[in-house]
Amino acid sequence: MEKNNIFREINKIQIENIMRHSELIQYFCFLNLGGYANIQKDALSEELNRNIELNEWYIKHCNKLIHNDVQSNTPIIPQSWYQYKRQDVSSSDKKNAVKSAFTQWYNWEVQTKTRFEEFYSDLLSQKLIPEAEYLKNLILDVDSEIKDIEDHMLDLNSASFDINFILSQQ
C-alpha cells in the first residue's frame, strides 16, 4: 500500500476509535458507571491527541494533508437502549452491557494494532524508515492500551462480572 493511503487509513481508524470512545463514555454515564466513563474519557483524550500528532507529523514530513473520508459508524450502544431511562436498566442489563462494552473495546484495539502492524511492514518494505518509526510508536501505544484493557477484563472475569464488583470499581 502506498504511503499516502497508509496514513489515510491510520487517520480513519483513529477517528473511528475516537467516535467509539465517545460512545462508550455516553454508555457508561447512562449506566451510572462513572469510573468506567472516566477511563473512556482518558482513552478518548489520548486517541484524539495521537490523531492530532499524526496529522501534524504527516504535514511536517510529507507536506500534505491527510484526506479524511470517515463515513462509517460502528455503534456500541444497542439501538433499543435509546428508548429507555437509566432507571429501566437492571443489574443484569448493566452486567451484560459492561461485558459487551469491554469486549468490543478490546476487539477494536486488537484490530487497530493488527492493521498498524501491517502498515508498518508496508512502510519498512518501501524503506520509508521515518514513517515506519512513527507508526511503531503508535503500535506501542495501542499495545499498552490493550494491556490495560486486558487487566480490567481479567479483574471483571475473575469476579464473574458481579455487579457489586463493577460498582466498587467506580
Side-chain angles (χ1 to χ4, degrees):
M1 185 180 292
E2 289 183 26
K3 174 177 70 173
N4 294 344
N5 289 334
I6 288 172
F7 278 87
R8 186 177 186 168
E9 282 298 308
I10 293 167
N11 188 57
K12 180 180 177 185
I13 290 166
Q14 286 180 330
I15 291 171
E16 288 172 347
N17 289 349
I18 287 166
M19 293 166 46
R20 290 177 178 130
H21 285 299
S22 178
E23 189 171 358
L24 280 174
I25 292 167
Q26 294 175 48
Y27 203 19
F28 289 134
C29 283
F30 178 77
L31 295 169
N32 201 32
L33 300 173
Y36 293 154
N38 288 336
I39 290 170
Q40 289 304 313
K41 287 176 187 177
D42 291 343
L44 173 64
S45 178
E46 290 172 15
E47 192 80 48
L48 181 59
N49 286 333
R50 281 194 295 265
N51 184 254
I52 291 167
E53 290 169 1
L54 171 79
N55 280 274
E56 288 176 346
W57 187 93
Y58 190 81
I59 289 166
K60 289 177 184 173
H61 290 83
C62 301
N63 298 307
K64 296 175 87 178
L65 293 169
I66 299 174
H67 183 76
N68 180 4
D69 58 353
V70 175
Q71 296 176 359
S72 67
N73 185 13
T74 52
I76 293 171
I77 302 171
Q79 194 63 37
S80 62
W81 281 55
Y82 289 96
Q83 65 184 336
Y84 300 118
K85 292 183 180 177
R86 292 195 307 174
Q87 297 83 347
D88 298 331
V89 179
S90 70
S91 293
S92 176
D93 292 336
K94 196 174 286 195
K95 172 184 171 175
N96 291 332
V98 168
K99 187 173 187 176
S100 172
F102 271 88
T103 300
Q104 288 180 72
W105 180 20
Y106 175 80
N107 289 339
W108 98 58
E109 293 297 354
V110 168
Q111 288 174 334
T112 296
K113 183 180 175 206
T114 300
R115 294 291 310 278
F116 284 8
E117 288 168 339
E118 292 167 4
F119 299 151
Y120 176 77
S121 246
D122 284 351
L123 291 170
L124 281 179
S125 71
Q126 296 174 50
K127 299 188 185 330
L128 297 169
I129 305 306
E131 290 85 347
E133 284 300 308
Y134 181 81
L135 188 51
K136 179 181 171 184
N137 291 326
L138 289 179
I139 293 167
L140 294 174
D141 286 345
V142 174
D143 186 65
S144 176
E145 187 171 359
I146 290 169
K147 300 300 178 232
D148 290 343
I149 299 166
E150 287 172 339
D151 287 345
H152 286 292
M153 290 181 76
L154 283 170
D155 290 343
L156 288 163
N157 279 323
S158 69
S160 300
F161 285 84
D162 177 71
I163 194 64
N164 291 318
F165 177 79
I166 290 170
L167 295 175
S168 75
Q169 299 299 300
Q170 305 314 301

